[in-house]
Amino acid sequence: MTTLARGSDTLTRDALAVLQPGFTGTTAPDWLLRRLGEGLTSVGLFGRNITSPEQLAALTAQLRAERADVLVAIDEEGGDVTRMEVRTGSSFPGNLALGAVDDTALTQAVARELGRRLAACGVNLNWAPSADVNSNPDNPVIGVRSFGADPHLVARHTAAYVQGLQAAGVAACTKHFPGHGDTAVDSHHALPRIDADLDTLTTRELVPFRAAVAAGTKAVMSAHILLPALDPARPATLSPAALHGLLRAPVTEGGLGFEGLVVTDGMEMRAISAAYGIERGSVLAIAAGADAICVGGGLADEDTVLRLRDALVAAVRAGELPEARLADAAARVRALGDWARHAGGPGAAEGIAPAPEAGLRAARRALRITPGAQPYQPPTGPAFVAAFTPVANIAVGDETPWGVAAELARLLPGTATATYGRDDVQGPGAGGAPALIANVLADAADRRIVAVVRDVHRHAWMADALDALLAARPDTVVVEMGVPQAPPSGALHIATHGAARVCGLAAAEVITGGVAGG
């Protein structure tokens, strides 16, 4: 660890100010409180830090007692990506569901209610919304996190979301600039590359970000993606051409004219850490125009904070990072903290009427129901839910429950469920789709089967299993909880446009002959 010389207090405080670290536990550790006193200005929260709204409020109060203007950030998109409700599933549908309804007033209302709940718990910066255009339906990491494939639809809902969230006093952080939708690689694992030309980027990827800037988004998150049309060497997070030359440049010069806070995506993600390491990656990011370094999803300890602090200080002293650039970045972080201190918090939440049913109403409206050839007859007794489950991407995680089984069991007591994965079809000793379906039929016995799938178009094993199941039991209900790209099938096909808990509840209502979507 670098030994800091006397007289470097301002530099050290600036280096701490640009970090957005995480930690483990449901109370703030002593080291984190100590660093807040030394200049750390932001803290990132994850599912591991949260057990209830009451506990979260106590945690943020603990942080704020040490530093009144602390930015408490969270990755709370609603839908599939939730941290506040990581163990139960979200009370809000995600972006694709809102885009499917295409009612910007509804999107704004959902974001305002989500923001109200965050503010009531003392959270004042949300790493959301995703403004990515889902132009590649095979995208492994965006999918239902996007409002859709139409840039202008994504733009109007991104703007509505930003306005709703910030009306509750929670700063929006629009992501993943300049657009993660046309990727076939998850940047958690490797560096994605988008070979679109500048005209395509301008008319597709950048449209929602321009709308977010116009709507007043307080922050923008950079993506760890390589766009040779912008920079053939460095991913956007580390690229002056992407951050300073495109995001910050005046509109009159072809830029977006953004003046708020630029936050990096998680620096421990392999797209950055594998090629650059988090220390050098953080120095390059600040030099390129980023203002805040997000780290803590995987690395959540004091040593990480000290390593990054000292790497930034050393880079300034070595002339690799202009001191004025670091000072400017730190000032932007503190400015947002000052805004949040006055605009956000529980006081802001108290000024907004609660809308506890906003998420469920939106989930119901997002359903797209396709009947089969025969009139649908709802089950009158317990059902059997066969969940065909893909491997979760890291952004979503595998802690959060999804599907319809829990909600259906409340409406049809005695309903059972089982989970089936790719290894049950393609793994060692597996007998392919026929053997899997034989197991499903045995597990189900004479109960109505509800097959739950997620992005069936992306998983050949899942499509084969579903076809075999429908051949054996044509009365099977199919619930697609991912991107509904495959043709509808089943005695009743329900596309929920996301796997949030409320999406499962809305689908369960329809399965049992209750509330219809729309």
Side-chain angles (χ1 to χ4, degrees):
M1 187 172 73
T2 303
T3 300
L4 301 174
R6 294 178 63 184
S8 62
D9 184 61
T10 298
L11 182 58
T12 304
R13 294 185 73 85
D14 284 351
L16 282 171
V18 302
L19 304 180
Q20 292 190 345
F23 62 95
T24 57
T26 54
T27 58
D30 290 342
W31 70 260
L32 184 67
L33 299 175
R34 186 167 62 252
R35 300 304 168 192
L36 285 171
E38 295 174 0
L40 187 68
T41 308
S42 308
V43 175
L45 300 182
F46 298 86
R48 62 177 179 248
N49 305 121
I50 301 168
T51 59
S52 69
E54 295 75 19
Q55 171 269 327
L56 177 56
L59 171 57
T60 60
Q62 183 188 16
L63 296 170
R64 209 150 273 122
E66 191 65 42
R67 185 182 182 107
D69 64 346
V70 64
L71 282 170
V72 182
I74 197 169
D75 193 8
E76 184 60 50
E77 298 176 16
D80 291 28
V81 179
T82 178
R83 308 307 177 212
M84 285 188 68
E85 299 179 276
V86 66
R87 292 167 186 84
T88 60
S90 182
S91 301
F92 302 93
N95 284 4
L96 189 64
L98 296 172
V101 179
D102 196 14
D103 178 346
T104 53
L106 176 68
T107 295
Q108 189 169 344
V110 166
R112 185 169 57 246
E113 173 62 13
L114 188 150
R116 185 193 70 79
R117 296 188 196 184
L118 290 174
C121 294
V123 176
N124 52 19
L125 172 60
N126 192 8
W127 293 318
S130 289
D132 307 292
V133 178
N134 199 42
S135 51
N136 180 356
D138 290 331
N139 193 309
V141 68
I142 300 301
V144 297
R145 301 168 66 197
S146 166
F147 289 111
D150 178 349
H152 298 285
L153 178 146
V154 175
R156 58 181 175 265
H157 287 278
T158 296
Y161 197 105
V162 166
Q163 291 162 348
L165 196 62
Q166 294 185 171
V170 176
C173 183
T174 305
K175 62 188 183 186
H176 306 80
F177 181 84
H180 208 312
D182 190 20
T183 57
V185 173
D186 183 346
S187 52
H188 290 91
H189 302 299
L191 178 63
R193 175 186 174 114
I194 297 178
D195 286 313
D197 58 29
L198 283 176
D199 286 343
T200 300
L201 293 176
T202 299
T203 58
R204 189 177 65 186
E205 272 72 20
L206 297 181
V207 173
F209 289 97
R210 291 189 188 279
V213 172
T217 187
K218 294 294 180 179
V220 168
M221 178 177 282
S222 65
H224 305 330
I225 54 177
L226 185 69
L227 297 102
L230 283 177
D231 188 326
R234 290 183 177 172
T237 293
L238 312 183
S239 170
L243 300 186
H244 181 72
L246 180 59
L247 183 56
R248 291 275 191 226
V251 174
T252 54
E253 297 176 14
L256 274 67
F258 179 62
E259 298 180 354
L261 190 74
V262 178
V263 182
T264 72
D265 207 344
M267 294 302 284
E268 64 266 55
M269 294 164 64
R270 296 288 293 170
I272 298 296
S273 62
Y276 299 91
I278 62 168
E279 294 96 336
R280 177 155 176 74
S282 295
V283 169
L284 292 174
I286 297 295
D291 305 307
I293 301 297
C294 177
V295 64
L299 299 172
D301 52 41
E302 183 178 22
D303 181 62
T304 298
V305 172
L306 299 180
R307 284 165 56 199
L308 296 184
R309 178 199 69 180
D310 294 347
L312 292 166
V313 170
V316 170
R317 290 179 172 167
E320 297 173 359
L321 174 64
E323 185 171 359
R325 170 77 274 271
L326 180 62
D328 173 63
R332 290 179 188 274
V333 175
R334 296 184 189 116
L336 183 56
D338 187 62
W339 175 87
R341 180 182 182 183
H342 294 95
E350 292 169 5
I352 298 175
E357 295 296 309
L360 180 56
R361 286 200 305 269
R364 287 168 174 163
R365 290 182 63 186
L367 297 183
R368 295 297 176 265
I369 303 165
T370 306
Q374 302 298 321
Y376 175 68
Q377 297 296 326
T380 56
F384 180 78
V385 178
F388 297 114
T389 305
V391 176
N393 72 59
I394 291 177
V396 174
D398 57 10
E399 294 178 276
T400 305
W402 68 282
V404 302
E407 305 300 337
L408 199 56
R410 293 188 183 99
L411 299 174
L412 297 175
T415 291
T417 185
T419 298
Y420 310 93
R422 182 176 60 186
D423 286 349
D424 295 312
V425 177
Q426 300 174 344
L436 170 62
I437 298 310
N439 290 335
V440 173
L441 296 176
D443 293 340
D446 59 353
R447 291 170 292 191
R448 173 72 68 84
I449 299 175
V450 177
V452 182
V453 296
R454 202 168 181 175
D455 292 340
V456 70
H457 69 283
R458 292 183 51 232
H459 305 284
W461 71 266
M462 192 184 297
D464 291 344
L466 184 60
D467 288 345
L469 175 58
L470 291 173
R473 288 282 294 269
D475 65 340
T476 295
V477 175
V478 178
V479 182
E480 167 62 85
M481 304 196 81
V483 177
Q485 191 77 12
S489 59
L492 187 71
H493 184 277
I494 304 172
T496 62
H497 299 92
R501 179 179 57 80
V502 286
C503 296
L505 174 54
E509 290 172 340
V510 171
I511 292 168
T512 56
V515 179

